[in-house]
Amino acid sequence: MRIAIIGAGIAGLSAAGALRAAGIEPVVFDKGRGPGGRIVSKRTPYGGVDLGTQYFTARDGEFRAAVDDWRQAGVVEPWVVTPLVLPERQPARPQERLVAVPRMSALARYMADGVDLHSGVQVSEMVRESTEWAIYDRHGESLGQFDSVLLTAPAPQAQSLLAEPSPRLAARAVAAPMQPCWSAGVVLEKPLDVDFDAGFPSSGPLGWVARLGSRPQRPDDPEIWTLHATDAWSEANIEWSPDAAGEFLARSFADLVRRRPLIRDQIAHRWRFARARTALAEPAGYLEHDHLLCAGDWITDGRVEGAWRSGRAAARRLLSLAAEQSGPDGE
Ligand SMILES: Cc1cc2nc3c(=O)[nH]c(=O)nc-3n(C[C@H](O)[C@H](O)[C@H](O)COP(=O)(O)OP(=O)(O)OC[C@H]3O[C@@H](n4cnc5c(N)ncnc54)[C@H](O)[C@@H]3O)c2cc1C
């Protein structure tokens, strides 16, 4: 059974892990430089800065079991936070926040270990040829023929790939629009004297702030804060240059903490497709059309856990398709 997985984010890697455990080696393609997708840490002269996913939670039993394995392997640790407390907002429900160590991208690297991963390869076309899927890169070069394909790109990218081979699935992707997000890492000359590590400011352009050094195994000298703009600000200003957006977010942070921290450097990143505005909450956890499956956070609940569960559900379906194909005698 030849299976291609497009995308080496959490959904694609979760599926790859389940397939490999069942004895099938999928071929994984990702247009990025390495695995992880939105679980990413930007390399900087100050070390890795987590500019994408900040933390994740584990509510579902199967995902909790995976998290336990990651904790035993030393890839994931809880992040104990002193939250930003706002008089106008109820404190958040206590929940265990989990982070990969020593940086978020370590989880993807761990999950990708041993996987047949082809990074820097953008899949641009999928064509149904008789009983196989032929896939092509953006130069029109063939990437091979596969019995099944699992597509795990964010909804808008999935939509353009699906338009030709499955208008029905493309329409499902249109129904899961995604929210952009400006993210910045702000490097300070001196540590800030504030009594919180992280939180969701309730007004202004910042939707999330977090001190990198409060997470396990991160350097805290120099002090670095991760800032995310609100959905509304990100959407209105998505075409700003990274420098302008980073400077603006750093100034907004100074307003928030009512101090004028000396800023040594800032690194901004534009996420055009950060989170699903309305995820599909698809009960199966995946979408399917003629041996072409889709998985990803937008199909479930827009979070790391949902992406992982979606990848697992798709892998189970691929395994049942493989069993059907090999027939009762395993031929
Ligand atoms: C700023 C930000 C903050 C977040 N914070 C949190 C949080 O605190 N908690 C939480 O649970 N979640 C958070 N999320 C959401 C979380 O990151 C996602 O739910 C999860 O990582 C999605 O995984 P995925 O595998 O579905 O998609 P992705 O991680 O997007 O993976 C898809 C992969 O497909 C690849 N790809 C796309 N198109 C192609 C193509 N044509 N050819 C080849 N490869 C392709 C991409 O390069 C990418 O690697 C956050 C996201 C962002 C951006």
Side-chain angles (χ1 to χ4, degrees):
M1 177 86 175
R2 291 152 307 156
I3 296 178
I5 298 180
I6 304 170
I10 290 295
L13 293 176
S14 156
L19 292 172
R20 296 185 74 224
I24 293 182
E25 289 292 337
V27 186
V28 184
F29 302 100
D30 197 294
K31 65 189 175 72
R33 262 185 293 172
R38 280 170 277 160
I39 291 245
V40 75
S41 311
K42 180 106 174 162
R43 276 174 212 226
T44 76
Y46 321 97
V49 179
D50 306 322
L51 288 180
T53 303
Q54 295 295 290
Y55 64 87
F56 54 92
T57 48
R59 297 177 172 94
D60 163 83
E62 195 185 4
F63 185 59
R64 272 207 301 272
V67 167
D68 286 345
D69 289 345
W70 296 337
R71 282 169 85 152
Q72 282 207 348
V75 196
V76 161
E77 286 187 26
W79 175 31
V80 181
V81 181
T82 305
L84 167 66
V85 177
L86 298 165
E88 67 275 22
R89 185 183 282 178
Q90 294 286 321
R93 256 185 313 121
Q95 57 179 342
E96 190 172 50
R97 297 177 174 86
L98 298 152
V99 294
V101 290
R103 60 190 75 88
M104 287 309 271
S105 55
L107 177 58
R109 297 213 173 270
Y110 179 77
M111 291 173 77
D113 188 36
V115 170
D116 183 9
L117 169 63
H118 301 253
S119 296
V121 179
Q122 179 172 348
V123 176
S124 291
E125 203 183 359
M126 305 183 292
V127 182
R128 189 70 172 149
E129 289 175 356
S130 179
T131 58
E132 294 177 324
W133 282 99
I135 64 175
Y136 298 89
D137 71 8
R138 64 195 177 87
H139 308 292
E141 296 288 329
S142 169
L143 295 168
Q145 313 265 338
F146 298 90
D147 299 301
S148 297
V149 173
L150 172 60
L151 172 62
T152 69
Q157 293 166 341
Q159 182 207 334
S160 58
L161 273 172
L162 290 167
E164 192 66 34
S166 176
R168 182 177 60 83
L169 294 193
R172 301 295 310 275
V174 173
M178 295 190 70
Q179 179 61 49
C181 179
W182 269 113
S183 171
V186 172
V187 185
L188 306 183
E189 285 293 355
K190 279 203 234 148
L192 256 190
D193 178 21
V194 290
D195 60 1
F196 65 90
D197 296 324
F200 303 93
S202 60
S203 60
L206 292 175
W208 166 256
V209 299
R211 187 166 61 83
L212 188 70
S214 65
R215 294 161 194 241
Q217 298 192 32
R218 268 63 171 184
D220 58 3
D221 182 20
E223 187 165 291
I224 301 177
W225 286 77
T226 303
L227 316 176
H228 286 171
T230 58
D231 292 354
W233 194 89
S234 298
E235 190 151 356
N237 302 296
I238 197 63
E239 297 307 335
W240 279 25
S241 72
D243 281 352
E247 270 169 38
F248 181 85
L249 295 182
R251 275 204 309 278
S252 306
F253 181 59
D255 293 343
L256 175 79
V257 296
R258 297 201 179 87
R259 286 167 180 76
R260 291 281 146 210
L262 277 181
I263 292 169
R264 186 186 300 181
D265 204 355
Q266 75 224 354
I267 308 109
H269 185 84
R270 173 186 11 226
W271 292 99
R272 285 196 186 274
F273 311 119
R275 272 168 295 216
R277 233 173 262 161
T278 333
L280 297 182
E282 172 66 38
Y286 63 89
L287 307 175
E288 180 176 1
H289 166 89
D290 202 7
H291 290 254
L292 167 62
L293 276 71
C294 291
D297 65 338
W298 57 277
I299 292 168
T300 48
D301 66 2
R303 293 179 295 121
V304 167
E305 175 169 4
W308 186 91
R309 278 193 291 110
S310 181
R312 277 289 138 127
R316 274 194 285 269
R317 176 65 185 144
L318 287 167
L319 289 172
S320 73
L321 287 172
E324 280 168 27
Q325 197 182 24
S326 53
D329 304 325
E331 283 162 19

